[in-house]
Amino acid sequence: MEHAVITHLPLREDPFGSERERKIVADLVSELQHAINDHNVGEFDGEEFGGGRCVLYMYGPDADRLFNVVEPILKANSLARGGFAIKRYGEAKDLNAVEARVML
């Protein structure tokens, strides 16, 4: 899996996410995992909290197809306001991989 969609969600209540924000993220993760699996576009690889944001990591063979599946779910989520996603077209170690930033 060469491409990635890396989503940055702002956390406003606590730098590592309040209990409420973490619950919202847990529900979002579950919804993203189901959609990614149902559409067979890749995998959800995890989340990271800190510095006033939550970063979600998703990988697949086609960043555009993956993003098309997760975009409506992300945009419907309350934490997405002010967030963004990076679509990376290539492996992380590829310094020439093209990236596109999409505001949510």
Side-chain angles (χ1 to χ4, degrees):
M1 296 193 193
E2 298 178 20
H3 294 189
V5 173
I6 302 168
T7 304
H8 298 255
L9 305 174
L11 301 171
R12 294 176 178 87
E13 297 172 8
D14 183 277
F16 289 92
S18 66
E19 187 175 323
R20 185 186 76 80
E21 288 173 320
R22 284 181 170 264
K23 170 72 168 108
I24 291 170
V25 169
D27 292 343
L28 174 60
V29 164
S30 178
E31 194 172 352
L32 291 171
Q33 287 174 323
H34 283 83
I36 291 167
N37 290 338
D38 288 350
H39 290 88
N40 198 31
V41 292
E43 67 180 8
F44 182 89
D45 193 45
E47 69 274 349
E48 181 177 83
F49 290 87
R53 68 180 178 195
C54 176
V55 182
L56 307 175
Y57 298 93
M58 296 162 272
Y59 299 95
D62 184 326
D64 290 321
R65 285 188 60 223
L66 178 56
F67 186 71
N68 287 342
V69 168
V70 301
E71 180 184 25
I73 298 166
L74 292 168
K75 286 189 171 183
N77 190 278
S78 62
L79 291 182
R81 252 179 258 116
F84 62 93
I86 304 267
K87 296 190 289 184
R88 187 183 67 229
Y89 301 94
E91 295 184 22
K93 63 184 174 186
D94 180 359
L95 300 178
N96 296 314
V98 174
E99 294 184 348
R101 182 177 172 144
V102 180
M103 297 305 296
L104 298 172

